[in-house]
Amino acid sequence: MLGAYVNAFRTPDLRKKLLFVLFIIVLFRAGSQIPAPGVNVSNVHQCIQGATGSVYNLINVFSGGALLQLTIFALGIMPYITASIILQLLVVVIPRLEALKKEGQAGQTKITQYTRYLTLGLALLQATGIVALARSGRLLSGCDNSRYPLLYNDNTSTFLVMVITMVAGTAVIMWFGELITDRGIGNGMSILIFTQVVARFPTSLWSVQKSKGWWTFAVVIAIGLVIIAAVIFIEQAQRRIPVQYARRMVGRKMFGGSSTYIPLKVNQAGVIPVIFASSLLYLPAMVSQFNQTGGSGWAVWIQRYFVRGDHPLYMISFFALIVFFTYFYVSITFNPEEVADNMKKYGGFIPGIRAGKPTEDYLSYVLSRITLPGALYLGLIALIPLIAFVLIGADQNFPFGGTSILIMVGVALDTVKQIESQLQQRNYEGFLR
């Protein structure tokens, strides 16, 4: 492993890419610590220490803690993630977008442009809501706004400057991600998400030690290592469906006759269902925060059962939504009919299965069977921080939480594979021996 790292930095062009990625990460983390104009930093830190919980925990994880500190990169990568998910769903629904997707690189460039515009629109909405909550003192639960105001001034000019700053920060983050993709190694947006999640990991881990002692800390570390090993095992697991291509004559040359396979991952949906389910459950909690002064019965009920996340009703709802969105997302990202048609077009077939409709039915059957353990796995992993909150009273930002571990392991494995492929192109031995 160490020799592979040495070989990576020994190659000039690969070393240049790695150093460029590290440089962008440093700039990204620096921007996550710079407060937005008009923010009372001392009061923000005071309120964060005494906060009892927040409905924005997921966004705060993706921003590396920058959201609740109201920095220029407070929104983090979340608007881009949301915009990408929305565009993926719209591609299935809107024929024009589906036609663009089939156009190849030119169509994908157009969809990427639409994603950028939608990201800025979502960033504007999110920044407006967050700054409005910061003005009213409801951004952090348990914070006395009259004693510790989060902003120096709550006038309109300060409001507009903060919103524009946060939206501009989101645009800069998009630019950083595209720079890493073009001039570095790996997917830029994924690496930025990985950076923000890892940035909070040591603090969350050490908070367990300070609140529960060394014994609980050691148990959490041991459980965390087991969880990471299990996540790596599941993320790498796949069902390989064999595909045989018949020989065909083109001119005077013979083509085909090769054997390959279709890899169907157990976790075909990745971390997207967890984000879908979390976002959906945060909507009523966010609405109830705006209605806290009214004291409505529904707002009190939501605050009791759907804010802290330690109630069985919340856990059951969260688990059920993750299972539902796993099946839903897999159904729109993997089309058995399209795969079967492409195989038939190029003379491919699954041994023992007739081409056409029988191949489509077989792929649908295998996909539904393999999606069930993947959905249950995602649901159980996502419930880990909630269970830890109940058993040991740990903070909801539990260091080995499901979303954090899925992101860290998934991005790390993908980046290491890309580095290894470039090492093997230069006749070096890679990481995986």
Side-chain angles (χ1 to χ4, degrees), residues 29 31-45 48 60 63-75 130 134 139-140 150-151 162 166 199-200 203:
R29 286 303 302 159
S32 300
Q33 303 300 319
I34 300 174
V39 176
N40 191 324
V41 179
S42 60
N43 287 354
V44 168
H45 289 167
I48 289 177
N60 198 44
S63 67
L67 170 68
L68 299 184
Q69 297 181 34
L70 297 174
T71 66
I72 60 175
F73 288 170
L75 300 181
I130 289 169
L139 183 64
L140 292 167
L150 301 182
L151 308 181
M162 288 188 65
M166 290 182 180
R200 288 181 54 83
T203 304

PDB file of all heavy atoms in Angstrom, residues 29 31-45 48 60 63-75 130 134 139-140 150-151 162 166 199-200 203:
ATOM      1  N   ARG A  29     -12.137  23.886   2.380  1.00  0.00           N
ATOM      2  CA  ARG A  29     -12.263  23.886   3.844  1.00  0.00           C
ATOM      3  C   ARG A  29     -12.050  25.276   4.432  1.00  0.00           C
ATOM      4  O   ARG A  29     -12.679  25.637   5.427  1.00  0.00           O
ATOM      5  CB  ARG A  29     -11.251  22.910   4.452  1.00  0.00           C
ATOM      6  CG  ARG A  29     -11.610  21.449   4.273  1.00  0.00           C
ATOM      7  CD  ARG A  29     -12.974  21.143   4.865  1.00  0.00           C
ATOM      8  NE  ARG A  29     -13.038  21.473   6.269  1.00  0.00           N
ATOM      9  CZ  ARG A  29     -14.170  21.685   6.945  1.00  0.00           C
ATOM     10  NH1 ARG A  29     -15.323  21.613   6.333  1.00  0.00           N
ATOM     11  NH2 ARG A  29     -14.131  21.973   8.233  1.00  0.00           N
ATOM     12  N   GLY A  31     -12.938  28.106   2.967  1.00  0.00           N
ATOM     13  CA  GLY A  31     -14.196  28.813   2.766  1.00  0.00           C
ATOM     14  C   GLY A  31     -15.290  28.357   3.710  1.00  0.00           C
ATOM     15  O   GLY A  31     -16.202  29.125   4.037  1.00  0.00           O
ATOM     16  N   SER A  32     -15.204  27.115   4.182  1.00  0.00           N
ATOM     17  CA  SER A  32     -16.207  26.597   5.123  1.00  0.00           C
ATOM     18  C   SER A  32     -16.030  27.161   6.528  1.00  0.00           C
ATOM     19  O   SER A  32     -16.878  26.923   7.397  1.00  0.00           O
ATOM     20  CB  SER A  32     -16.131  25.070   5.180  1.00  0.00           C
ATOM     21  OG  SER A  32     -16.387  24.510   3.905  1.00  0.00           O
ATOM     22  N   GLN A  33     -14.923  27.874   6.780  1.00  0.00           N
ATOM     23  CA  GLN A  33     -14.674  28.459   8.090  1.00  0.00           C
ATOM     24  C   GLN A  33     -14.836  29.979   8.104  1.00  0.00           C
ATOM     25  O   GLN A  33     -14.808  30.589   9.169  1.00  0.00           O
ATOM     26  CB  GLN A  33     -13.244  28.113   8.552  1.00  0.00           C
ATOM     27  CG  GLN A  33     -12.941  26.631   8.607  1.00  0.00           C
ATOM     28  CD  GLN A  33     -13.847  25.881   9.547  1.00  0.00           C
ATOM     29  OE1 GLN A  33     -14.161  26.360  10.637  1.00  0.00           O
ATOM     30  NE2 GLN A  33     -14.290  24.692   9.134  1.00  0.00           N
ATOM     31  N   ILE A  34     -14.993  30.600   6.945  1.00  0.00           N
ATOM     32  CA  ILE A  34     -15.127  32.053   6.871  1.00  0.00           C
ATOM     33  C   ILE A  34     -16.593  32.428   7.058  1.00  0.00           C
ATOM     34  O   ILE A  34     -17.448  32.022   6.268  1.00  0.00           O
ATOM     35  CB  ILE A  34     -14.615  32.581   5.517  1.00  0.00           C
ATOM     36  CG1 ILE A  34     -13.141  32.213   5.328  1.00  0.00           C
ATOM     37  CG2 ILE A  34     -14.797  34.090   5.424  1.00  0.00           C
ATOM     38  CD1 ILE A  34     -12.600  32.570   3.963  1.00  0.00           C
ATOM     39  N   PRO A  35     -16.926  33.206   8.099  1.00  0.00           N
ATOM     40  CA  PRO A  35     -18.336  33.548   8.330  1.00  0.00           C
ATOM     41  C   PRO A  35     -18.864  34.501   7.266  1.00  0.00           C
ATOM     42  O   PRO A  35     -18.129  35.304   6.699  1.00  0.00           O
ATOM     43  CB  PRO A  35     -18.315  34.198   9.715  1.00  0.00           C
ATOM     44  CG  PRO A  35     -16.923  34.721   9.868  1.00  0.00           C
ATOM     45  CD  PRO A  35     -16.037  33.775   9.121  1.00  0.00           C
ATOM     46  N   ALA A  36     -20.160  34.393   7.000  1.00  0.00           N
ATOM     47  CA  ALA A  36     -20.809  35.302   6.063  1.00  0.00           C
ATOM     48  C   ALA A  36     -20.900  36.700   6.674  1.00  0.00           C
ATOM     49  O   ALA A  36     -20.859  36.850   7.907  1.00  0.00           O
ATOM     50  CB  ALA A  36     -22.204  34.783   5.708  1.00  0.00           C
ATOM     51  N   PRO A  37     -21.000  37.739   5.865  1.00  0.00           N
ATOM     52  CA  PRO A  37     -21.086  39.107   6.400  1.00  0.00           C
ATOM     53  C   PRO A  37     -22.310  39.282   7.298  1.00  0.00           C
ATOM     54  O   PRO A  37     -23.410  38.833   6.977  1.00  0.00           O
ATOM     55  CB  PRO A  37     -21.210  39.972   5.138  1.00  0.00           C
ATOM     56  CG  PRO A  37     -20.654  39.135   4.037  1.00  0.00           C
ATOM     57  CD  PRO A  37     -20.964  37.721   4.395  1.00  0.00           C
ATOM     58  N   GLY A  38     -22.097  39.924   8.446  1.00  0.00           N
ATOM     59  CA  GLY A  38     -23.190  40.202   9.366  1.00  0.00           C
ATOM     60  C   GLY A  38     -23.429  39.150  10.419  1.00  0.00           C
ATOM     61  O   GLY A  38     -24.337  39.297  11.253  1.00  0.00           O
ATOM     62  N   VAL A  39     -22.643  38.069  10.449  1.00  0.00           N
ATOM     63  CA  VAL A  39     -22.838  36.986  11.414  1.00  0.00           C
ATOM     64  C   VAL A  39     -22.059  37.279  12.695  1.00  0.00           C
ATOM     65  O   VAL A  39     -20.873  37.630  12.653  1.00  0.00           O
ATOM     66  CB  VAL A  39     -22.381  35.637  10.820  1.00  0.00           C
ATOM     67  CG1 VAL A  39     -22.491  34.530  11.864  1.00  0.00           C
ATOM     68  CG2 VAL A  39     -23.213  35.301   9.600  1.00  0.00           C
ATOM     69  N   ASN A  40     -22.719  37.145  13.832  1.00  0.00           N
ATOM     70  CA  ASN A  40     -22.073  37.297  15.135  1.00  0.00           C
ATOM     71  C   ASN A  40     -21.451  35.950  15.499  1.00  0.00           C
ATOM     72  O   ASN A  40     -22.130  35.055  16.001  1.00  0.00           O
ATOM     73  CB  ASN A  40     -23.095  37.732  16.183  1.00  0.00           C
ATOM     74  CG  ASN A  40     -22.445  38.164  17.484  1.00  0.00           C
ATOM     75  OD1 ASN A  40     -21.432  37.596  17.899  1.00  0.00           O
ATOM     76  ND2 ASN A  40     -23.026  39.171  18.128  1.00  0.00           N
ATOM     77  N   VAL A  41     -20.156  35.803  15.236  1.00  0.00           N
ATOM     78  CA  VAL A  41     -19.496  34.504  15.352  1.00  0.00           C
ATOM     79  C   VAL A  41     -19.523  33.994  16.795  1.00  0.00           C
ATOM     80  O   VAL A  41     -19.786  32.812  17.048  1.00  0.00           O
ATOM     81  CB  VAL A  41     -18.044  34.597  14.841  1.00  0.00           C
ATOM     82  CG1 VAL A  41     -17.337  33.253  14.991  1.00  0.00           C
ATOM     83  CG2 VAL A  41     -18.023  35.035  13.388  1.00  0.00           C
ATOM     84  N   SER A  42     -19.249  34.862  17.760  1.00  0.00           N
ATOM     85  CA  SER A  42     -19.202  34.418  19.160  1.00  0.00           C
ATOM     86  C   SER A  42     -20.556  33.907  19.619  1.00  0.00           C
ATOM     87  O   SER A  42     -20.649  32.884  20.311  1.00  0.00           O
ATOM     88  CB  SER A  42     -18.729  35.567  20.055  1.00  0.00           C
ATOM     89  OG  SER A  42     -19.612  36.675  19.949  1.00  0.00           O
ATOM     90  N   ASN A  43     -21.632  34.589  19.240  1.00  0.00           N
ATOM     91  CA  ASN A  43     -22.969  34.133  19.629  1.00  0.00           C
ATOM     92  C   ASN A  43     -23.339  32.830  18.927  1.00  0.00           C
ATOM     93  O   ASN A  43     -24.018  31.971  19.500  1.00  0.00           O
ATOM     94  CB  ASN A  43     -24.011  35.202  19.303  1.00  0.00           C
ATOM     95  CG  ASN A  43     -23.946  36.383  20.254  1.00  0.00           C
ATOM     96  OD1 ASN A  43     -23.193  36.360  21.228  1.00  0.00           O
ATOM     97  ND2 ASN A  43     -24.706  37.428  19.966  1.00  0.00           N
ATOM     98  N   VAL A  44     -22.909  32.672  17.663  1.00  0.00           N
ATOM     99  CA  VAL A  44     -23.177  31.428  16.941  1.00  0.00           C
ATOM    100  C   VAL A  44     -22.527  30.253  17.646  1.00  0.00           C
ATOM    101  O   VAL A  44     -23.153  29.203  17.868  1.00  0.00           O
ATOM    102  CB  VAL A  44     -22.690  31.538  15.481  1.00  0.00           C
ATOM    103  CG1 VAL A  44     -22.697  30.162  14.816  1.00  0.00           C
ATOM    104  CG2 VAL A  44     -23.558  32.493  14.694  1.00  0.00           C
ATOM    105  N   HIS A  45     -21.268  30.397  18.037  1.00  0.00           N
ATOM    106  CA  HIS A  45     -20.566  29.320  18.740  1.00  0.00           C
ATOM    107  C   HIS A  45     -21.213  29.039  20.094  1.00  0.00           C
ATOM    108  O   HIS A  45     -21.302  27.884  20.521  1.00  0.00           O
ATOM    109  CB  HIS A  45     -19.101  29.684  18.915  1.00  0.00           C
ATOM    110  CG  HIS A  45     -18.325  29.659  17.639  1.00  0.00           C
ATOM    111  ND1 HIS A  45     -17.066  30.195  17.504  1.00  0.00           N
ATOM    112  CD2 HIS A  45     -18.642  29.170  16.412  1.00  0.00           C
ATOM    113  CE1 HIS A  45     -16.633  30.033  16.261  1.00  0.00           C
ATOM    114  NE2 HIS A  45     -17.576  29.408  15.587  1.00  0.00           N
ATOM    115  N   ILE A  48     -24.366  27.064  19.366  1.00  0.00           N
ATOM    116  CA  ILE A  48     -24.083  25.700  18.914  1.00  0.00           C
ATOM    117  C   ILE A  48     -23.765  24.799  20.092  1.00  0.00           C
ATOM    118  O   ILE A  48     -24.195  23.646  20.167  1.00  0.00           O
ATOM    119  CB  ILE A  48     -22.931  25.701  17.897  1.00  0.00           C
ATOM    120  CG1 ILE A  48     -23.395  26.307  16.569  1.00  0.00           C
ATOM    121  CG2 ILE A  48     -22.410  24.290  17.652  1.00  0.00           C
ATOM    122  CD1 ILE A  48     -22.309  26.428  15.531  1.00  0.00           C
ATOM    123  N   ASN A  60     -26.251  19.917   7.495  1.00  0.00           N
ATOM    124  CA  ASN A  60     -25.062  20.301   8.249  1.00  0.00           C
ATOM    125  C   ASN A  60     -23.932  19.293   8.064  1.00  0.00           C
ATOM    126  O   ASN A  60     -22.759  19.651   8.016  1.00  0.00           O
ATOM    127  CB  ASN A  60     -25.411  20.427   9.736  1.00  0.00           C
ATOM    128  CG  ASN A  60     -24.373  21.216  10.508  1.00  0.00           C
ATOM    129  OD1 ASN A  60     -23.919  22.261  10.051  1.00  0.00           O
ATOM    130  ND2 ASN A  60     -23.989  20.717  11.651  1.00  0.00           N
ATOM    131  N   SER A  63     -22.353  19.939   4.739  1.00  0.00           N
ATOM    132  CA  SER A  63     -21.607  21.195   4.703  1.00  0.00           C
ATOM    133  C   SER A  63     -20.408  21.170   5.642  1.00  0.00           C
ATOM    134  O   SER A  63     -19.727  22.183   5.791  1.00  0.00           O
ATOM    135  CB  SER A  63     -22.532  22.366   5.073  1.00  0.00           C
ATOM    136  OG  SER A  63     -22.926  22.277   6.437  1.00  0.00           O
ATOM    137  N   GLY A  64     -20.139  20.033   6.275  1.00  0.00           N
ATOM    138  CA  GLY A  64     -19.002  19.948   7.177  1.00  0.00           C
ATOM    139  C   GLY A  64     -19.147  20.811   8.412  1.00  0.00           C
ATOM    140  O   GLY A  64     -18.152  21.281   8.976  1.00  0.00           O
ATOM    141  N   GLY A  65     -20.385  21.052   8.850  1.00  0.00           N
ATOM    142  CA  GLY A  65     -20.629  21.911  10.007  1.00  0.00           C
ATOM    143  C   GLY A  65     -20.704  23.380   9.651  1.00  0.00           C
ATOM    144  O   GLY A  65     -20.899  24.220  10.531  1.00  0.00           O
ATOM    145  N   ALA A  66     -20.576  23.730   8.362  1.00  0.00           N
ATOM    146  CA  ALA A  66     -20.563  25.142   7.960  1.00  0.00           C
ATOM    147  C   ALA A  66     -21.956  25.761   8.004  1.00  0.00           C
ATOM    148  O   ALA A  66     -22.085  26.979   8.143  1.00  0.00           O
ATOM    149  CB  ALA A  66     -19.988  25.275   6.550  1.00  0.00           C
ATOM    150  N   LEU A  67     -23.010  24.946   7.892  1.00  0.00           N
ATOM    151  CA  LEU A  67     -24.364  25.488   7.850  1.00  0.00           C
ATOM    152  C   LEU A  67     -24.709  26.219   9.142  1.00  0.00           C
ATOM    153  O   LEU A  67     -25.078  27.394   9.131  1.00  0.00           O
ATOM    154  CB  LEU A  67     -25.372  24.365   7.592  1.00  0.00           C
ATOM    155  CG  LEU A  67     -26.844  24.769   7.765  1.00  0.00           C
ATOM    156  CD1 LEU A  67     -27.248  25.749   6.680  1.00  0.00           C
ATOM    157  CD2 LEU A  67     -27.752  23.572   7.748  1.00  0.00           C
ATOM    158  N   LEU A  68     -24.591  25.511  10.268  1.00  0.00           N
ATOM    159  CA  LEU A  68     -24.978  26.097  11.546  1.00  0.00           C
ATOM    160  C   LEU A  68     -24.024  27.202  11.975  1.00  0.00           C
ATOM    161  O   LEU A  68     -24.349  27.983  12.868  1.00  0.00           O
ATOM    162  CB  LEU A  68     -25.064  25.009  12.621  1.00  0.00           C
ATOM    163  CG  LEU A  68     -26.097  23.906  12.360  1.00  0.00           C
ATOM    164  CD1 LEU A  68     -26.173  22.948  13.523  1.00  0.00           C
ATOM    165  CD2 LEU A  68     -27.469  24.502  12.074  1.00  0.00           C
ATOM    166  N   GLN A  69     -22.823  27.272  11.354  1.00  0.00           N
ATOM    167  CA  GLN A  69     -21.901  28.372  11.643  1.00  0.00           C
ATOM    168  C   GLN A  69     -22.115  29.550  10.700  1.00  0.00           C
ATOM    169  O   GLN A  69     -21.453  30.578  10.840  1.00  0.00           O
ATOM    170  CB  GLN A  69     -20.456  27.884  11.534  1.00  0.00           C
ATOM    171  CG  GLN A  69     -20.105  26.801  12.549  1.00  0.00           C
ATOM    172  CD  GLN A  69     -18.660  26.360  12.441  1.00  0.00           C
ATOM    173  OE1 GLN A  69     -17.776  27.161  12.134  1.00  0.00           O
ATOM    174  NE2 GLN A  69     -18.400  25.092  12.678  1.00  0.00           N
ATOM    175  N   LEU A  70     -23.029  29.411   9.721  1.00  0.00           N
ATOM    176  CA  LEU A  70     -23.400  30.483   8.807  1.00  0.00           C
ATOM    177  C   LEU A  70     -22.183  31.047   8.074  1.00  0.00           C
ATOM    178  O   LEU A  70     -21.943  32.253   8.049  1.00  0.00           O
ATOM    179  CB  LEU A  70     -24.130  31.600   9.566  1.00  0.00           C
ATOM    180  CG  LEU A  70     -25.464  31.209  10.214  1.00  0.00           C
ATOM    181  CD1 LEU A  70     -26.010  32.349  11.044  1.00  0.00           C
ATOM    182  CD2 LEU A  70     -26.478  30.812   9.136  1.00  0.00           C
ATOM    183  N   THR A  71     -21.395  30.163   7.452  1.00  0.00           N
ATOM    184  CA  THR A  71     -20.219  30.584   6.697  1.00  0.00           C
ATOM    185  C   THR A  71     -20.599  30.847   5.240  1.00  0.00           C
ATOM    186  O   THR A  71     -21.748  30.653   4.836  1.00  0.00           O
ATOM    187  CB  THR A  71     -19.125  29.513   6.758  1.00  0.00           C
ATOM    188  OG1 THR A  71     -19.572  28.340   6.063  1.00  0.00           O
ATOM    189  CG2 THR A  71     -18.799  29.145   8.196  1.00  0.00           C
ATOM    190  N   ILE A  72     -19.603  31.289   4.439  1.00  0.00           N
ATOM    191  CA  ILE A  72     -19.898  31.597   3.041  1.00  0.00           C
ATOM    192  C   ILE A  72     -20.203  30.331   2.244  1.00  0.00           C
ATOM    193  O   ILE A  72     -20.865  30.393   1.204  1.00  0.00           O
ATOM    194  CB  ILE A  72     -18.731  32.370   2.395  1.00  0.00           C
ATOM    195  CG1 ILE A  72     -17.445  31.546   2.443  1.00  0.00           C
ATOM    196  CG2 ILE A  72     -18.532  33.716   3.070  1.00  0.00           C
ATOM    197  CD1 ILE A  72     -16.284  32.206   1.715  1.00  0.00           C
ATOM    198  N   PHE A  73     -19.717  29.169   2.717  1.00  0.00           N
ATOM    199  CA  PHE A  73     -20.039  27.885   2.094  1.00  0.00           C
ATOM    200  C   PHE A  73     -21.064  27.133   2.944  1.00  0.00           C
ATOM    201  O   PHE A  73     -21.040  25.903   3.005  1.00  0.00           O
ATOM    202  CB  PHE A  73     -18.786  27.030   1.927  1.00  0.00           C
ATOM    203  CG  PHE A  73     -17.846  27.511   0.855  1.00  0.00           C
ATOM    204  CD1 PHE A  73     -16.579  26.971   0.730  1.00  0.00           C
ATOM    205  CD2 PHE A  73     -18.220  28.503  -0.030  1.00  0.00           C
ATOM    206  CE1 PHE A  73     -15.704  27.409  -0.254  1.00  0.00           C
ATOM    207  CE2 PHE A  73     -17.357  28.956  -1.015  1.00  0.00           C
ATOM    208  CZ  PHE A  73     -16.098  28.406  -1.135  1.00  0.00           C
ATOM    209  N   ALA A  74     -21.981  27.849   3.578  1.00  0.00           N
ATOM    210  CA  ALA A  74     -22.915  27.232   4.523  1.00  0.00           C
ATOM    211  C   ALA A  74     -23.795  26.178   3.869  1.00  0.00           C
ATOM    212  O   ALA A  74     -24.116  25.158   4.475  1.00  0.00           O
ATOM    213  CB  ALA A  74     -23.782  28.303   5.181  1.00  0.00           C
ATOM    214  N   LEU A  75     -24.205  26.408   2.622  1.00  0.00           N
ATOM    215  CA  LEU A  75     -25.102  25.464   1.951  1.00  0.00           C
ATOM    216  C   LEU A  75     -24.382  24.204   1.502  1.00  0.00           C
ATOM    217  O   LEU A  75     -25.014  23.181   1.241  1.00  0.00           O
ATOM    218  CB  LEU A  75     -25.760  26.135   0.747  1.00  0.00           C
ATOM    219  CG  LEU A  75     -26.607  27.365   1.061  1.00  0.00           C
ATOM    220  CD1 LEU A  75     -27.222  27.915  -0.212  1.00  0.00           C
ATOM    221  CD2 LEU A  75     -27.690  27.039   2.072  1.00  0.00           C
ATOM    222  N   ILE A 130     -32.764  29.809   5.440  1.00  0.00           N
ATOM    223  CA  ILE A 130     -31.806  29.682   6.543  1.00  0.00           C
ATOM    224  C   ILE A 130     -31.531  31.036   7.180  1.00  0.00           C
ATOM    225  O   ILE A 130     -31.489  31.174   8.410  1.00  0.00           O
ATOM    226  CB  ILE A 130     -30.508  29.028   6.025  1.00  0.00           C
ATOM    227  CG1 ILE A 130     -30.762  27.558   5.729  1.00  0.00           C
ATOM    228  CG2 ILE A 130     -29.382  29.162   7.050  1.00  0.00           C
ATOM    229  CD1 ILE A 130     -29.638  26.891   4.982  1.00  0.00           C
ATOM    230  N   ALA A 134     -32.254  32.310  10.914  1.00  0.00           N
ATOM    231  CA  ALA A 134     -31.186  32.891  11.737  1.00  0.00           C
ATOM    232  C   ALA A 134     -31.611  34.242  12.307  1.00  0.00           C
ATOM    233  O   ALA A 134     -31.301  34.574  13.463  1.00  0.00           O
ATOM    234  CB  ALA A 134     -29.912  33.039  10.907  1.00  0.00           C
ATOM    235  N   LEU A 139     -32.957  28.911  14.001  1.00  0.00           N
ATOM    236  CA  LEU A 139     -32.054  28.002  13.300  1.00  0.00           C
ATOM    237  C   LEU A 139     -31.464  26.962  14.240  1.00  0.00           C
ATOM    238  O   LEU A 139     -31.292  25.799  13.878  1.00  0.00           O
ATOM    239  CB  LEU A 139     -30.929  28.801  12.636  1.00  0.00           C
ATOM    240  CG  LEU A 139     -29.937  28.001  11.794  1.00  0.00           C
ATOM    241  CD1 LEU A 139     -30.646  27.382  10.598  1.00  0.00           C
ATOM    242  CD2 LEU A 139     -28.777  28.869  11.334  1.00  0.00           C
ATOM    243  N   LEU A 140     -31.162  27.373  15.468  1.00  0.00           N
ATOM    244  CA  LEU A 140     -30.596  26.477  16.476  1.00  0.00           C
ATOM    245  C   LEU A 140     -31.590  26.320  17.610  1.00  0.00           C
ATOM    246  O   LEU A 140     -31.977  27.314  18.253  1.00  0.00           O
ATOM    247  CB  LEU A 140     -29.267  27.025  17.014  1.00  0.00           C
ATOM    248  CG  LEU A 140     -28.106  27.048  16.010  1.00  0.00           C
ATOM    249  CD1 LEU A 140     -26.973  27.889  16.533  1.00  0.00           C
ATOM    250  CD2 LEU A 140     -27.630  25.645  15.727  1.00  0.00           C
ATOM    251  N   LEU A 150     -27.932  35.887  16.476  1.00  0.00           N
ATOM    252  CA  LEU A 150     -26.967  35.304  15.548  1.00  0.00           C
ATOM    253  C   LEU A 150     -26.434  36.321  14.546  1.00  0.00           C
ATOM    254  O   LEU A 150     -25.351  36.129  13.995  1.00  0.00           O
ATOM    255  CB  LEU A 150     -27.610  34.133  14.794  1.00  0.00           C
ATOM    256  CG  LEU A 150     -28.134  32.980  15.661  1.00  0.00           C
ATOM    257  CD1 LEU A 150     -28.706  31.876  14.778  1.00  0.00           C
ATOM    258  CD2 LEU A 150     -27.041  32.424  16.559  1.00  0.00           C
ATOM    259  N   LEU A 151     -27.178  37.413  14.304  1.00  0.00           N
ATOM    260  CA  LEU A 151     -26.761  38.435  13.353  1.00  0.00           C
ATOM    261  C   LEU A 151     -26.584  39.759  14.087  1.00  0.00           C
ATOM    262  O   LEU A 151     -27.301  40.059  15.051  1.00  0.00           O
ATOM    263  CB  LEU A 151     -27.794  38.602  12.239  1.00  0.00           C
ATOM    264  CG  LEU A 151     -28.228  37.321  11.494  1.00  0.00           C
ATOM    265  CD1 LEU A 151     -29.236  37.678  10.414  1.00  0.00           C
ATOM    266  CD2 LEU A 151     -27.036  36.613  10.899  1.00  0.00           C
ATOM    267  N   MET A 162     -26.270  38.440   2.921  1.00  0.00           N
ATOM    268  CA  MET A 162     -26.010  37.063   3.365  1.00  0.00           C
ATOM    269  C   MET A 162     -26.542  36.054   2.353  1.00  0.00           C
ATOM    270  O   MET A 162     -25.868  35.064   2.041  1.00  0.00           O
ATOM    271  CB  MET A 162     -26.649  36.830   4.734  1.00  0.00           C
ATOM    272  CG  MET A 162     -25.953  37.535   5.882  1.00  0.00           C
ATOM    273  SD  MET A 162     -26.624  37.046   7.485  1.00  0.00           S
ATOM    274  CE  MET A 162     -26.174  35.315   7.538  1.00  0.00           C
ATOM    275  N   MET A 166     -24.157  33.405   0.230  1.00  0.00           N
ATOM    276  CA  MET A 166     -24.302  31.950   0.295  1.00  0.00           C
ATOM    277  C   MET A 166     -24.563  31.346  -1.079  1.00  0.00           C
ATOM    278  O   MET A 166     -24.044  30.267  -1.400  1.00  0.00           O
ATOM    279  CB  MET A 166     -25.429  31.586   1.258  1.00  0.00           C
ATOM    280  CG  MET A 166     -25.107  31.865   2.715  1.00  0.00           C
ATOM    281  SD  MET A 166     -26.431  31.357   3.835  1.00  0.00           S
ATOM    282  CE  MET A 166     -25.734  31.837   5.414  1.00  0.00           C
ATOM    283  N   ALA A 199     -14.529  15.907   7.610  1.00  0.00           N
ATOM    284  CA  ALA A 199     -14.147  17.041   8.440  1.00  0.00           C
ATOM    285  C   ALA A 199     -14.846  17.008   9.804  1.00  0.00           C
ATOM    286  O   ALA A 199     -14.287  17.448  10.811  1.00  0.00           O
ATOM    287  CB  ALA A 199     -14.461  18.349   7.722  1.00  0.00           C
ATOM    288  N   ARG A 200     -16.054  16.499   9.846  1.00  0.00           N
ATOM    289  CA  ARG A 200     -16.805  16.433  11.115  1.00  0.00           C
ATOM    290  C   ARG A 200     -16.544  15.147  11.888  1.00  0.00           C
ATOM    291  O   ARG A 200     -16.946  15.035  13.042  1.00  0.00           O
ATOM    292  CB  ARG A 200     -18.310  16.537  10.823  1.00  0.00           C
ATOM    293  CG  ARG A 200     -18.744  17.920  10.402  1.00  0.00           C
ATOM    294  CD  ARG A 200     -20.237  17.969  10.160  1.00  0.00           C
ATOM    295  NE  ARG A 200     -20.983  17.476  11.319  1.00  0.00           N
ATOM    296  CZ  ARG A 200     -21.273  18.214  12.379  1.00  0.00           C
ATOM    297  NH1 ARG A 200     -20.867  19.460  12.446  1.00  0.00           N
ATOM    298  NH2 ARG A 200     -21.971  17.701  13.364  1.00  0.00           N
ATOM    299  N   THR A 203     -14.341  15.367  15.293  1.00  0.00           N
ATOM    300  CA  THR A 203     -15.047  16.101  16.341  1.00  0.00           C
ATOM    301  C   THR A 203     -16.190  15.268  16.918  1.00  0.00           C
ATOM    302  O   THR A 203     -16.377  15.206  18.145  1.00  0.00           O
ATOM    303  CB  THR A 203     -15.593  17.421  15.778  1.00  0.00           C
ATOM    304  OG1 THR A 203     -14.514  18.174  15.218  1.00  0.00           O
ATOM    305  CG2 THR A 203     -16.259  18.241  16.866  1.00  0.00           C
TER     306      THR A 203
END
